[in-house]
Amino acid sequence: MQRTNGGGNPKNKLATFGPVHINNIDLERSTYFWTEIVGMQLRGTNKNIAEFGTEKRTLVVVHEKAKFPFQKGYSGLYHFAVHAPNEAEFASMVHRLNIKKYPYSPTDHTASKSIYLEDPDGITIEFTLETPERLKRVISEGGIWMEGTDGVIRSASERLNLDEVMSALQVNDLHRFIASDTYIGHIHLYANNVQKSNRFYKKLGYTEANNLPQYMFADLGDGADYQHRIALNSWHGSNRPLAPSENAGLNHFQLYYTAKEKLEQALHSINWYEKTINGYRVVDPTGNKICIGIN
């Protein structure tokens, strides 16, 4: 029996992710990546904008606005993650990359199984399978380590056992789109000040999971067992400026609160927001733009 992870909209969760909007250089090139390499459906186009996702929902919106590729060393986006609903679908996503001979890095975080790849403009994308039941605790002495429920202590970024992942593969069909219940499951940001950003996302209602100033890292959860929904680091250097808008990278991302009172509490807690047609626009301390509303 396949385990199904928490990508839906349970009422005990604070919020779910809507589409992540990114700026790219060439829409045709991006369309090939998201459809042929990732396996998403092209859900619509409008001038220099294209939407990609499942038959149910848009997950990624590409804006043909960038003039230059993604450049490291700036604050802004580190990566965002497309989460598979179960082991078989995660294996299918990896299988597609294998057949296409598209490069990726397999990583076992214990609380999740992940692979990392880059889009044509150098933006990092993560494919994730949530496995919080494997994690007992995080150890932060002498580095960041993960103790599993099996009693084994591993690196926070152990190499993923791909043979084990691929043993769950059920459908070998590259013409098949990704599963309809695939979802955006977390976003990881380069913060110019981790502590300020951590406080901001707590004001939005997220719950602190790990706050490790000695490693310039923090992450926060949304009420689900998997607690890595918003992650922050300054591994690129403290007080770095936000990436220029001409660079490929994050345009904005969307959060949908599961209850009106949760949204109202978030708005009451922060210093600034702007009403829009579809919700509210807010900006975190680094300068990342977020659209928040009700699902």
Side-chain angles (χ1 to χ4, degrees):
M1 181 176 180
Q2 290 291 328
R3 180 185 68 253
T4 299
N5 289 313
N9 191 25
K11 291 300 181 182
N12 64 319
K13 290 181 67 174
L14 173 73
T16 59
F17 286 94
V20 175
H21 292 244
I22 57 175
N23 295 336
N24 277 144
I25 296 173
D26 186 299
L27 200 58
E28 182 177 351
R29 192 171 61 175
S30 294
T31 297
Y32 178 84
F33 172 79
W34 288 106
T35 57
E36 295 300 316
I37 302 300
V38 177
M40 290 187 184
Q41 297 186 39
L42 175 61
R43 291 176 52 85
T45 60
N46 180 13
K47 295 182 179 179
N48 295 327
I49 300 174
E51 298 185 13
F52 305 94
T54 71
E55 62 184 31
K56 290 183 177 181
R57 62 176 69 92
T58 296
L59 302 180
V60 178
V61 180
V62 173
H63 302 253
E64 191 181 60
K65 293 182 63 175
K67 297 179 181 178
F68 307 104
F70 182 87
Q71 186 175 343
K72 297 180 179 179
Y74 289 101
S75 295
L77 181 66
Y78 182 39
H79 63 257
F80 66 93
V82 179
H83 287 218
N86 55 54
E87 292 95 332
E89 294 300 335
F90 182 64
S92 180
M93 294 165 77
V94 178
H95 175 68
R96 188 182 195 96
L97 297 180
N98 289 339
I99 296 301
K100 296 288 185 178
K101 294 182 170 55
Y102 201 87
Y104 63 86
S105 298
T107 306
D108 191 341
H109 297 300
T110 304
S112 66
K113 298 179 181 182
S114 302
I115 61 171
Y116 295 87
L117 61 154
E118 293 185 354
D119 83 346
D121 291 324
I123 298 173
T124 299
I125 318 297
E126 179 181 349
F127 292 169
T128 305
L129 176 69
E130 297 178 19
T131 59
E133 72 283 354
R134 299 168 63 218
L135 177 66
K136 180 179 179 180
R137 62 175 179 141
V138 176
I139 302 170
S140 59
E141 291 82 26
I144 303 178
W145 305 88
M146 317 297 267
E147 182 178 357
T149 51
D150 57 3
V152 177
I153 296 175
R154 302 175 177 87
S155 163
S157 297
E158 194 86 2
R159 183 172 176 81
L160 182 63
N161 185 334
L162 288 175
D163 290 337
E164 181 180 272
V165 169
M166 297 314 297
S167 68
L169 183 67
Q170 294 181 354
V171 180
N172 181 3
D173 181 6
L174 291 185
H175 298 291
R176 173 178 173 267
F177 293 117
I178 60 172
S180 61
D181 46 356
T182 304
Y183 55 102
I184 299 296
H186 75 268
I187 192 163
H188 196 150
L189 302 167
Y190 280 130
N192 56 20
N193 184 304
V194 170
Q195 295 309 309
K196 285 183 179 180
S197 290
N198 190 40
R199 288 193 292 270
F200 173 82
Y201 286 102
K202 286 196 288 186
K203 289 180 179 180
L204 288 188
Y206 286 85
T207 303
E208 185 173 277
N210 296 284
N211 186 4
L212 306 173
Q214 67 273 40
Y215 299 116
M216 298 181 290
F217 173 82
D219 63 358
L220 306 97
D222 62 358
D225 291 339
Y226 180 78
Q227 299 184 60
H228 185 79
R229 296 300 180 193
I230 304 285
L232 310 159
N233 76 67
S234 290
W235 299 334
H236 62 312
S238 298
N239 300 314
R240 293 295 179 90
L242 189 68
S245 59
E246 294 85 359
N247 289 7
L250 182 66
N251 183 295
H252 70 275
F253 64 96
Q254 295 181 253
L255 295 173
Y256 295 136
Y257 283 77
T258 58
K260 183 179 179 181
E261 59 270 21
K262 295 176 182 178
L263 172 61
E264 292 175 344
Q265 180 60 45
L267 294 173
H268 180 73
S269 299
I270 59 178
N271 294 328
W272 180 89
Y273 61 84
E274 181 180 45
K275 185 77 170 68
T276 68
I277 296 175
N278 298 315
Y280 300 87
R281 180 182 296 111
V282 302
V283 180
D284 76 6
T286 296
N288 296 299
K289 298 178 179 65
I290 312 156
C291 290
I292 63 177
I294 294 290
N295 196 359

